[in-house]
Amino acid sequence: MAPNTQFKILSIDTSCDETAAAVTEGKKVLSNIIWSQASLHAKFGGVYPSLAKRMHKERIGWVIEKAIKNSKVKIKNIDSIAVTVGPGLAIALEVGIKKALEFAEAYNKPLIPINHVEGHILSVLAHSRNLKSQISNLKFPALAFVASGGTTQLILVYKIGDYKILAQTSDDSLGEALDKAARMLGLGYPGGAILEKMAKKGNSQTYPLPIPMLGQEDKFVFSYSGLKTAFYKLVEKEKPLNQEKIQNLAASFQDKAFKHAVRIIQKVFDEYPAKEFWFGGGVAANLELKKRLRFICKQKGMKMLIPYSKKLCTDNAAMIGISAYYRFKRKKFLTTRDFDKVDRIPRAKVDKKLPW
Ligand code: KG4
């Protein structure tokens, strides 16, 4: 086996609508292949589970092959196979798990089951082929904010592998809320990125929308359903829409959605003096939100870590490889005789240890 920091891991993630495989070496990303099904799900306005499963099955082999080829690593030199076991769509997860088991058996490699949310948390620690890790001397506890299509959580990281969820959403995730707002404006799915583009050209003060849970931030609950309903009514009232209205509406929605998130994060900072702030998940690609969070981190004198590329923000397998690296170092892997125990955990929680 390779020396400690050089572990080469082939990772697979099929938790939602991205078919993803990657090869990592320690925390270095050698390849990160993502085949997104988003355009196929667009007409449903969200992920259609049986379609996701079918497309994962169709694409997974090709995606893995490309990840290995691009990494320039021979299969015999791969130390372990990692796979997302949850949280995610059950019938989508099972495609990746089955493939990972097949691979691990065929090539006699250990298997590392990974929690997808832990992947998002640790995505900030990845570094590219050309760069040496810029991240040294991590300081704990860190506060991680994971905001994606499926998750909106604030997680206290006592150390890698030891987490406590401090706040989460009671209804929609932040990414889901942005997607729904974009859909109401006719901008397609997924809409977070295009909503950001529109918002940049609009005036966020044009429309009076409520900031969710105003004055109740100490409950540590994110909630976007009230804002969503208010936005729906506003959009209906403003119809027919034109470009200017769309831009102003996008800016107004994004502003309130972000103000809510930032207010809760500030409250958590006050109560849990974390030493660093880590921001991962699809919404971490948003420049405006990053700017606002950077500002509050600066006020607190805290370091803020974000993934080094957009590909590491949205669902991907390289982040699964980073989590797997830390588990592998702790010798948390399964060998062939335990493979039949591995199963999907669609509602896995990041602060609950995996059973294997
Ligand atoms: O991490 P991810 O792929 O998660 C799940 O599929 O669960 O994140 C996807 C989410 C979508 O809701 C998408 O609209 C959002 O991330 N997103 C963005 C941006 N890029 C992607 N949200 C805001 N601004 C962006 N630039």
Side-chain angles (χ1 to χ4, degrees), residues 29 32 120 123 126 281 307-314 316 318-319:
V29 180
N32 191 13
H120 277 306
S123 63
Y308 76 81
S309 81
K310 271 192 188 177
K311 258 177 112 175
L312 274 156
C313 295
T314 43
N316 68 92
M319 66 182 194

Side-chain angles (χ1 to χ4, degrees), residues 224-237:
Y224 289 99
S225 65
L227 175 62
K228 192 179 65 187
T229 308
F231 191 65
Y232 176 77
K233 287 185 187 151
L234 176 62
V235 173
E236 288 303 303
K237 203 174 103 214

Side-chain angles (χ1 to χ4, degrees), residues 211-224:
I211 299 173
M213 310 283 294
L214 196 62
Q216 299 179 69
E217 287 78 10
D218 54 356
K219 288 190 176 158
F220 289 175
V221 171
F222 296 98
S223 171
Y224 289 99

